[in-house]
Amino acid sequence: MTEQTAIDLTPAAAARVAAIAAKQGKPAMLRLSVDGGGCAGFQYVFGLADVVAEDDVTAVRDGVTLVVDSVSLDLVRGSHVDYVESLGGAAFRVENPQAASGCGCGSSFSI
C-alpha cells in the first residue's frame, strides 16, 4: 500500500468535516492521531488541523484533507475514517484492519 492510499476518508466523513470547518471558519482538514490510553490500550483523537507538517501523510476526498502523523500512521495504516449517525449519537469512526480488538465505544483499540 502506498503512502497515498495508506488511509482513506469516506464521503460521509468528508461532508461532515466540511460542514464543521465551514461553521468554524477553518480549513477543511481533519487530523487523526493515536494516543496511548482508552479502555483497549490506544485511542483515536480527532481535531481540525490548520497546517500539514512535513512528516504527515494526507488523504483527500471531496476537497477535504485527512491528516495523520507518521507515528500514528503505523497504527492506522489501511484504515477508513467514516462518520456514522445512530440512535446512540453521531461520531467519526475508524475502521482499522490492524486492530485486534476494540471497545464498545469505538474510540479505543488494541493491536
Side-chain angles (χ1 to χ4, degrees):
M1 187 174 277
T2 66
E3 290 299 293
Q4 286 77 26
T5 59
I7 191 158
D8 189 30
L9 190 65
T10 67
R16 185 62 183 152
V17 171
I20 293 170
K23 277 185 181 178
Q24 295 187 12
K26 294 192 168 210
M29 289 194 292
L30 178 67
R31 178 171 292 280
L32 166 62
S33 58
V34 177
D35 284 345
C39 27
F42 294 103
Q43 61 187 353
Y44 302 112
V45 179
F46 291 99
L48 289 180
D50 292 318
V51 295
V52 176
E54 191 174 306
D55 66 337
D56 286 340
V57 173
T58 61
V60 178
R61 177 175 302 271
D62 302 332
V64 174
T65 304
L66 174 64
V67 182
V68 182
D69 64 271
S70 59
V71 174
S72 296
L73 183 64
D74 288 341
L75 299 169
V76 296
R77 188 178 304 278
S79 295
H80 299 279
V81 177
D82 197 6
Y83 181 73
V84 208
E85 294 184 41
S86 67
L87 291 175
F92 288 103
R93 180 143 308 150
V94 179
E95 296 172 22
N96 187 345
Q98 294 190 60
S101 65
C103 66
C105 68
S107 63
S108 174
F109 69 103
S110 68
I111 297 217

